[in-house]
């Protein structure tokens, strides 16, 4: 359940077809104007803007970002680094690590590892230096990323979504 700033209550399962169409358009091009998005989903611009605001207020839309190619930005070597650590030296206890420039993603996970990081560096010596720093927190294991088979995909509904909310039009 999500309660927006304007007092509306949204449930994740109450994201209707129109909301999913808005989410699809924004995931394809977050720079889309409300007028163009409204034209594409057959809704008025003010109604579209209100729905986007509600999705933001509910925390369903968490931000807008540019996708940057790490190789073209000078970091062609990418790897997943799995950490086995526990206790006071665990990497999860250091709030600085997620802000290291090499770290693109960091997840807490279940299983033998406690953390998985995706990192991007300039070359193999830089990766070796990163792994040496990570050894201060526990046992790092790395896997080089050879190719992005599926680098990112838009979120789509898993189950049938409720019908459109005609009252919002």
């Amino acid at each position: 359940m999500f309660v927006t700033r304007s007092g509306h209550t949204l449930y994740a399962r109450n994201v209707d077809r129109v909301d999913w169409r808005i989410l699809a358009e924004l995931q394809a091009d977050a720079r889309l104007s409300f007028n163009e998005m409204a034209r594409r989903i057959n809704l008025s611009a003010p109604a579209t803007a209100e729905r986007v605001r509600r999705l933001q207020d509910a925390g369903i839309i968490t931000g807008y970002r540019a996708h940057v190619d790490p190789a073209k930005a000078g970091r062609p070597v990418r790897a997943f680094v799995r950490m086995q650590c526990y206790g006071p030296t665990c990497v999860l206890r250091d709030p600085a690590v997620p802000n290291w420039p090499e770290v693109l993603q960091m997840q807490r996970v279940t299983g033998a590892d406690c953390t998985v990081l995706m990192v991007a560096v300039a070359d193999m010596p830089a990766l070796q230096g990163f792994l040496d720093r990570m050894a201060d927190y526990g046992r790092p294991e790395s896997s080089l990323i050879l190719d992005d088979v599926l680098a990112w995909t838009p979120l789509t509904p898993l189950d049938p979504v409720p019908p459109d909310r005609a009252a919002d039009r």
Side-chain angles (χ1 to χ4, degrees):
M1 175 177 81
F2 305 99
V3 179
T4 66
R5 286 187 292 232
S6 57
H8 292 93
T9 302
L10 290 179
Y11 297 88
R13 64 179 174 264
N14 288 340
V15 175
D16 67 17
R17 283 177 172 70
V18 173
D19 292 333
W20 277 112
R21 288 170 52 201
I22 288 170
L23 292 171
E25 293 293 341
L26 286 174
Q27 289 177 96
D29 183 2
R31 297 179 62 186
L32 214 66
S33 71
F34 286 132
N35 286 336
E36 177 60 21
M37 189 182 326
R39 186 189 68 71
R40 291 181 185 186
I41 65 171
N42 197 26
L43 199 63
S44 72
T48 300
E50 174 57 27
R51 280 177 175 261
V52 170
R53 276 190 290 279
R54 269 195 250 156
L55 291 167
Q56 290 170 336
D57 289 348
I60 296 167
I61 296 174
T62 60
Y64 301 88
R65 294 165 187 85
H67 291 273
V68 177
D69 183 324
K72 290 181 181 174
R75 295 198 233 161
V77 177
R78 292 178 301 138
F80 290 110
V81 178
R82 296 171 312 284
M83 291 297 301
Q84 293 182 6
C85 54
Y86 181 78
T89 61
C90 181
V91 69
L92 294 171
R93 295 183 183 267
D94 187 342
V97 174
N99 297 312
W100 291 358
E102 301 93 342
V103 177
L104 302 180
Q105 296 179 12
M106 183 173 175
Q107 285 86 21
R108 182 178 184 181
V109 298
T110 62
D113 302 320
C114 72
T115 308
V116 176
L117 302 94
M118 180 193 290
V119 301
V121 295
D123 51 29
M124 293 306 288
L127 180 59
Q128 183 177 348
F130 180 83
L131 294 172
D132 289 346
R133 278 192 295 162
M134 293 305 292
D136 291 342
Y137 298 97
R139 182 174 165 228
E141 290 188 27
S142 62
S143 297
L144 290 176
I145 298 172
L146 300 176
D147 189 20
D148 290 321
V149 177
L150 178 63
W152 177 86
T153 189
L155 189 66
T156 59
L158 294 174
D159 299 319
V161 293
D164 301 344
R165 295 185 301 254
D168 288 345
R169 294 188 176 179

